């Protein structure tokens, strides 16, 4: 603990072979992660993938099953929670119900005997625009206000490492944007290290220096937001960060700087530099906003991938853009976003269209598309009984 | 339109009136009970406490009067027993709290992952109720008596002087009071600790507070309702108790409490006004102490 003072700067966090098993359930398979000091690191992933568990391990509220945690180069794996230079904004807020808002915020400062705890607590409350409610009890605040108090209570301590577990989840869009900016400026001002957990991919991408996408207790991919978006490595990342059109097929030709993939007779070219694998059966993809819609077959060229003709099966207008769902025989359903600039064609449902994109916009993934389990892994009694009956009936029919 | 608005207006107007009639009807037995068995006896107690001895009467015959001296007389005569009662009750309450809090914390918080263990310990706390507390107190008298192995053992270990004894001492009386009221302390404490959200404790440790500071600043305030009701349930009956301190049980000549004085005035010396005024003094002091305590602990909602 940085006794009696604020952290001068952020500390780096290193997780080495971290694993967490609950009785009968492995929440974290194996986590290796280095977060440089002073950076804003976002952990993104679906519900139940182990984000909160990771933060609890770092905060010292949960014991690790295996692996080590280093903060600022110091091994804190066996250090008690109150001795770690870490503060948490809890997903459930956990504001002390018997204390006023101001006492809640000053709690950590008082424990460390920092001068003028009250003044600093008021300042933190002003930051989240709640100073006028300082005398109230947490139960007298709305959910979003409680969340902001939780934020103030953690930030006021200026910890070397701040853990944020969906700290803005209960706020409306405008307030959320505003708090994002405040958070970012506090982080940059003092150079603290933020580990930010969120469901909101937009939030992760706009705020973080580095984003890690987590799935089923593992980190699938980690990198700068733009890199992650442009070059996803796995199907999960391609679909979790934004939307993707994915096609899988055999690599049929390898050129000096590109590969051609055969998708049931259609060729798709992907630059080698943008493909994680360049041979065998691979999955390639393209983002919906990179696609160009055409009512007539586009001119074939080496720079373009063309799919079509297909049929528009759904059109949905969302203000800035329009989303088209296009059914293309042998290829599948494709999602396309068209900016509503008044330039492109306007088509309705049932229209015959072609879809094309610049070769440079495609990407190749490292893993294979899970072709959807052909044999559903349903193991409940009803399904098993049904399968048994079908098998029996076909057997009898053959006889 | 106007008609229907009128109709609903009368309907909503009538609803609460009907509801309050029903409520009154439901409250009636309770109010009657209180009138009959609390207010009437209380009134008669007050009258008795002001009576004067009948001029030509026998012992135990009194006339209605306004003899306020009854109060000053008993205070002068029994001040030692009055003070002793409250001292013993305070000590027993403190010991019961010190014993029960860790126990209730263990059952309500630590044993949460093991519901079976929780229930088992709770049964152990409540089980003694199945035996009359007179019998239990008599059993303690046996255990603490001079010839018991406990006293002999303590003497053998030189923890007790060779000529010392336990029954009839203040120690035995306070011990008996503490023992008898432990379930009344443990159960309300358990009820409030069982609902303690451990996420607040985690938040405390995340905000640099040691387990002890978290206990002092988070756990105790959050379990305050349980502490207050446990303290009241122990202190009030303990202050008026006359079983533990009586000579037939754990007490001696030097441990007489106000309850014993009232008992002997009512049943032996037949001095009803003295007994009645002592009872009223006991009630008044308890009322004042309890009100002050509840005010201080900030749990007025309980009363
Ligand atoms: N104490 C526990 N005992 C057993 N399993 C647990 C425990 N705590 C969490 N889990 C399991 O571990 C997994 C990860 O939980 P965690 O709370 O880390 O999810 P999360 O990524 O934060 O999800 P969300 O986004 O919904 O908050 C979940 O499947 C959860 O059921
Ligand atoms: Mg979570």
């Amino acid at each position: 603990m940085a006794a009696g003072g604020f952290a001068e700067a952020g500390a780096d966090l290193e997780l080495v072979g971290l694993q967490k098993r609950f009785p009968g359930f492995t929440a974290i398979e194996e986590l290796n992660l280095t977060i440089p000091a002073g950076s804003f690191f976002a952990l993104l992933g679906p519900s139940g993938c182990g984000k909160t568990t990771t933060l609890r391990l770092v905060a010292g509220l949960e014991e690790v099953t295996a692996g080590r945690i280093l903060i600022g180069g110091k091994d804190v794996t066996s250090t008690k929670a109150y001795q770690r230079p870490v503060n948490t904004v809890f997903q459930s807020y956990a504001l002390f119900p018997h204390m006023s808002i101001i006492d809640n915020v000053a709690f950590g400062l008082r424990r460390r005997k920092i001068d003028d705890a009250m003044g600093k607590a008021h300042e933190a409350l002003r930051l989240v625009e709640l100073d006028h409610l300082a005398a109230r009890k947490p139960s007298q605040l709305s959910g979003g206000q409680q969340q902001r108090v939780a934020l103030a209570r953690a930030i006021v301590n200026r910890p070397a490492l701040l853990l944020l577990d969906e700290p803005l989840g209960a706020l409306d869009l405008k307030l959320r944007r505003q708090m994002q900016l405040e958070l970012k400026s506090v982080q940059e001002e003092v150079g603290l290290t933020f580990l930010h957990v969120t469901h909101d991919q937009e939030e992760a991408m706009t705020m973080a220096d580095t984003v890690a996408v987590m799935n089923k207790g593992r980190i699938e991919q980690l990198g700068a937001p733009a890199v992650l978006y442009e070059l996803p490595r796995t199907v999960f990342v391609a679909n979790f960060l934004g939307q993707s059109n994915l096609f899988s097929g055999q690599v049929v030709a390898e050129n000096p700087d590109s590969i051609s993939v055969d998708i049931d007779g259609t060729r798709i070219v992907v630059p080698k530099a943008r493909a994680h694998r360049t041979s065998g059966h691979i999955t390639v993809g393209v983002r919906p906003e990179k696609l160009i819609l055409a009512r007539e077959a586009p001119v074939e060229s080496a720079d373009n991938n063309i799919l079509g003709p297909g049929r528009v099966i759904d059109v949905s207008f969302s203000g800035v853009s329009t989303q088209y769902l296009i059914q293309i025989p042998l290829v599948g359903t494709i999602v396309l976003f068209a900016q509503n600039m008044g330039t492109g064609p306007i088509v309705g449902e049932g229209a015959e269209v072609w879809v094309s994109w610049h070769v440079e916009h495609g990407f190749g993934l490292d893993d294979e598309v899970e072709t959807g389990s052909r044999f559903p892994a349903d193991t409940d009694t009803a399904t098993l009984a049904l399968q048994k009956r079908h098998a029996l009936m076909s057997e009898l029919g053959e006889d | 339109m106007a008609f229907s608005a009128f109709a609903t207006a009368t309907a909503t107007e009538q609803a609460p009136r009907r509801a309050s009639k029903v409520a009154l009807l439901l409250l009636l037995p309770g109010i009657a009970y209180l009138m009959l068995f609390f207010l009437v006896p209380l009134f008669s107690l007050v009258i008795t406490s002001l009576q004067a001895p009948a001029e030509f009467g026998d012992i135990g015959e009194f006339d209605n009067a306004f003899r306020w001296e009854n109060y000053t007389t008993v205070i002068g005569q029994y001040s030692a027993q009055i003070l002793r009662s409250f001292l013993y009750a305070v000590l027993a309450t403190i010991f019961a709290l010190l014993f029960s809090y860790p126990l209730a914390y263990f059952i309500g918080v630590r044993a949460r992952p093991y519901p079976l263990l929780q229930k088992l310990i709770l049964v152990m706390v409540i089980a003694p109720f199945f035996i009359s507390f007179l019998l239990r107190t008599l059993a303690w008298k046996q255990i603490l008596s001079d010839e018991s192995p406990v006293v002999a053992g303590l003497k053998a270990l030189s923890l007790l002087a060779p000529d010392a004894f336990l029954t009839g001492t203040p120690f035995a009386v306070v011990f008996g009071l503490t023992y008898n009221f432990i379930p009344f302390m443990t159960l309300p404490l358990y009820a409030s600790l069982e609902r303690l959200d451990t996420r607040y404790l985690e938040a405390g440790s995340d905000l640099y507070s040691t387990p002890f500071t978290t206990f002092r600043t988070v756990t105790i305030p959050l379990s305050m309702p349980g502490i207050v009701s446990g303290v009241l349930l122990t202190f009030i009956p303990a202050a008026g108790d006359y079983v533990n301190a009586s000579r037939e049980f754990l007490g001696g000549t030097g441990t007489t409490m106000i309850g014993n004085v009232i008992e002997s005035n009512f049943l032996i010396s037949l001095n009803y006004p003295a007994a009645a005024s002592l009872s009223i003094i006991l009630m008044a002091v308890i009322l004042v102490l309890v009100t002050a305590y509840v005010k201080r602990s900030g749990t007025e909602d309980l009363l």
Side-chain angles (χ1 to χ4, degrees):
Chain A
M1 185 174 90
F6 286 142
E8 299 291 317
D12 57 349
L13 171 69
E14 207 181 333
L15 306 180
V16 186
L18 201 62
Q19 194 190 44
K20 177 66 191 175
R21 244 182 271 134
F22 291 111
F25 184 81
T26 306
I28 295 182
E29 297 275 357
E30 195 188 343
L31 218 55
N32 289 294
L33 193 65
T34 305
I35 302 178
S39 69
F40 198 120
F41 191 95
L43 201 54
L44 198 62
S47 182
C49 72
K51 305 179 299 285
T52 299
T53 307
T54 308
L55 292 198
R56 288 173 59 81
L57 289 171
V58 174
L61 301 173
E62 206 86 66
E63 266 179 53
V64 306
T65 308
R68 292 187 304 142
I69 300 168
L70 294 96
I71 297 174
K74 252 189 10 205
D75 193 330
V76 296
T77 316
S78 51
T79 311
K80 295 271 182 295
Y82 62 91
Q83 293 163 327
R84 300 192 187 185
V86 173
N87 284 114
T88 310
V89 181
F90 292 95
Q91 191 168 15
S92 58
Y93 319 146
L95 300 176
F96 303 122
H98 58 293
M99 292 182 199
S100 65
I101 297 306
I102 189 74
D103 286 338
N104 260 285
V105 178
F107 189 88
L109 299 174
R110 291 207 177 119
R111 297 288 87 77
R112 289 195 297 161
K113 312 226 172 357
I114 284 173
D115 301 333
D116 190 26
M118 272 303 180
K120 291 190 168 97
H122 276 294
E123 198 180 305
L125 277 179
R126 270 194 290 281
L127 188 73
V128 296
E129 296 183 8
L130 284 177
D131 201 26
H132 58 293
L133 301 180
R136 285 209 197 160
K137 290 275 170 71
S139 60
Q140 296 167 314
L141 300 190
S142 75
Q145 289 169 337
Q146 290 180 26
Q147 192 160 46
R148 281 184 280 158
V149 175
L151 204 56
R153 185 176 72 170
I155 277 189
V156 75
N157 298 297
R158 303 278 148 120
L161 175 61
L162 185 67
L163 308 175
L164 304 116
D165 199 349
E166 311 209 11
L168 309 174
L171 306 182
D172 63 80
L173 200 62
K174 184 165 167 277
L175 198 56
R176 187 191 298 207
R177 291 267 173 277
Q178 192 183 329
M179 295 313 298
Q180 284 174 0
L181 293 176
E182 297 283 10
L183 271 181
K184 189 84 185 146
S185 72
V186 168
Q187 188 253 335
E188 280 169 354
E189 193 184 301
V190 195
L192 303 177
T193 313
F194 276 34
L195 175 49
H196 183 120
V197 160
T198 173
H199 272 129
D200 182 349
Q201 42 161 307
E202 215 179 307
E203 185 173 294
M205 306 241 267
T206 51
M207 295 175 77
D209 310 317
T210 312
V211 175
V213 178
M214 201 169 172
N215 186 27
K216 294 187 188 146
R218 288 177 182 283
I219 288 189
E220 294 250 339
Q221 192 176 359
L222 179 156
V227 175
L228 231 58
Y229 189 78
E230 278 298 313
L231 293 173
R233 204 177 60 81
T234 65
V235 173
F236 179 81
V237 177
N239 283 326
F240 192 78
L241 269 189
Q243 281 175 282
S244 296
N245 293 301
L246 299 180
F247 319 97
S248 58
Q250 200 69 29
V251 175
V252 287
E254 194 173 341
N255 312 320
D257 49 6
S258 67
I259 49 172
S260 295
V261 184
D262 177 67
I263 317 290
D264 276 325
T266 314
R267 281 200 175 196
I268 291 179
V269 180
V270 177
K272 253 187 188 170
R274 292 175 59 86
H276 285 93
R277 275 200 296 144
T278 55
S279 62
H281 193 87
I282 72 167
T283 301
V284 296
V286 62
R287 296 286 183 185
E289 72 276 10
K290 301 281 168 58
L291 298 177
I292 299 160
L293 192 65
R295 304 207 64 161
E296 274 133 39
V299 196
E300 301 258 356
S301 94
D303 287 351
N304 267 0
N305 289 313
I306 300 167
L307 295 178
R311 270 200 197 281
V312 176
I313 55 172
D314 186 59
V315 181
S316 50
F317 176 76
S318 67
V320 188
S321 63
T322 304
Q323 174 185 315
Y324 296 94
L325 283 185
I326 298 153
Q327 177 74 47
I328 297 178
L330 294 178
V331 175
T333 308
I334 284 185
V335 187
L336 181 150
F337 296 152
Q339 290 284 311
N340 290 331
M341 296 186 298
T343 51
I346 294 166
V347 298
E349 268 174 50
E352 192 184 54
V353 291
W354 280 261
V355 167
S356 67
W357 69 93
H358 198 276
V359 166
E360 281 300 319
H361 288 153
F363 52 79
L365 303 178
D366 201 12
D367 58 358
E368 291 174 22
V369 172
E370 288 166 42
T371 41
S373 41
R374 246 167 245 228
F375 307 100
D378 279 338
T379 47
D380 61 303
T381 337
T383 323
L384 287 178
L386 201 67
Q387 283 172 355
K388 270 260 157 54
R389 207 174 83 196
H390 284 311
L392 204 65
M393 274 164 67
S394 62
E395 215 169 273
L396 290 175
E398 276 172 41
D399 282 350
Chain B
M1 207 49 209
F3 187 76
S4 68
F6 177 74
T8 52
T10 50
T12 50
E13 230 168 63
Q14 268 174 1
R17 210 181 301 157
R18 213 180 300 145
S20 73
K21 254 185 212 159
V22 170
L24 209 66
L25 207 69
L26 288 174
L27 277 175
L28 212 59
I31 293 172
Y33 181 91
L34 271 183
M35 294 285 280
L36 210 61
F37 296 107
F38 178 71
L39 285 184
V40 172
L42 183 69
F43 191 62
S44 108
L45 195 67
V46 172
I47 291 176
T48 312
S49 75
L50 296 172
Q51 280 175 340
E55 226 171 311
F56 306 105
D58 213 347
I59 293 176
E61 279 182 36
F62 295 91
D63 288 334
N64 286 343
F66 283 101
R67 238 173 85 109
W68 297 99
E69 306 96 273
N70 283 348
Y71 283 86
T72 48
T73 316
V74 292
I75 289 177
Q77 204 174 343
Y78 300 115
S79 61
Q81 285 85 340
I82 296 175
L83 284 179
R84 188 182 297 138
S85 294
F86 289 108
L87 178 71
Y88 286 3
V90 166
L91 285 176
T93 307
I94 292 172
F95 291 139
L97 183 63
L98 290 180
F99 180 86
S100 297
Y101 203 98
L103 180 66
Y105 190 87
F106 180 80
I107 312 173
V109 181
R110 285 299 163 86
R112 263 181 218 178
Y114 318 102
L116 206 67
L117 181 68
Q118 263 183 324
K119 283 179 195 127
L120 193 73
I121 309 178
L122 272 181
V123 166
M124 282 162 65
V125 171
I126 300 167
F129 275 124
F130 294 123
I131 304 166
S132 154
F133 91 108
L134 293 178
L135 283 182
R136 280 182 281 128
T137 315
L138 276 177
W140 274 113
K141 184 181 181 175
Q142 288 296 315
I143 294 169
L144 299 176
S145 70
D146 295 349
E147 14 347 308
S148 80
V150 174
V151 174
L154 286 174
K155 283 180 180 166
L157 289 170
S158 306
L159 289 172
L160 213 62
D163 55 346
F165 52 91
L166 290 178
T167 37
T169 60
F171 166 81
V173 176
V174 173
F175 180 89
L177 286 171
T178 309
Y179 164 78
N180 274 317
F181 290 107
I182 275 177
F184 294 96
M185 185 64 98
T186 308
L187 291 179
L189 281 176
Y190 162 75
S192 81
L193 283 169
E194 191 240 321
R195 278 180 281 120
L196 180 75
D197 192 338
T198 47
R199 282 179 298 186
Y200 299 132
L201 311 186
E202 289 181 347
S205 70
D206 185 67
L207 291 162
Y208 314 106
S209 81
T210 58
F212 176 74
T213 319
T214 309
F215 180 73
R216 187 172 57 79
T217 55
V218 181
T219 312
I220 290 199
L222 287 180
S223 58
M224 210 55 191
I227 296 177
V228 171
S229 38
V231 164
L232 295 185
L233 283 179
T234 305
F235 177 79
I236 297 174
D241 184 79
Y242 67 94
V243 171
N244 289 285
S246 87
R247 247 171 294 172
E248 282 92 72
F249 290 88
L250 300 170
T253 38
T255 63
T256 320
M257 290 170 70
I258 193 166
N260 306 100
V261 177
I262 296 172
E263 185 209 11
S264 70
N265 268 306
F266 254 118
L267 300 179
I268 297 163
S269 37
L270 306 183
N271 189 352
Y272 303 126
S277 44
L278 273 172
S279 300
I280 287 175
I281 291 169
L282 178 67
M283 257 191 318
V285 175
I286 287 178
L287 207 64
V288 168
L289 287 178
V290 163
T291 315
Y293 170 68
V294 170
K295 274 251 148 60
R296 261 217 58 172
S297 57
T299 37
E300 283 96 333
D301 311 352
L302 271 180
L303 287 191

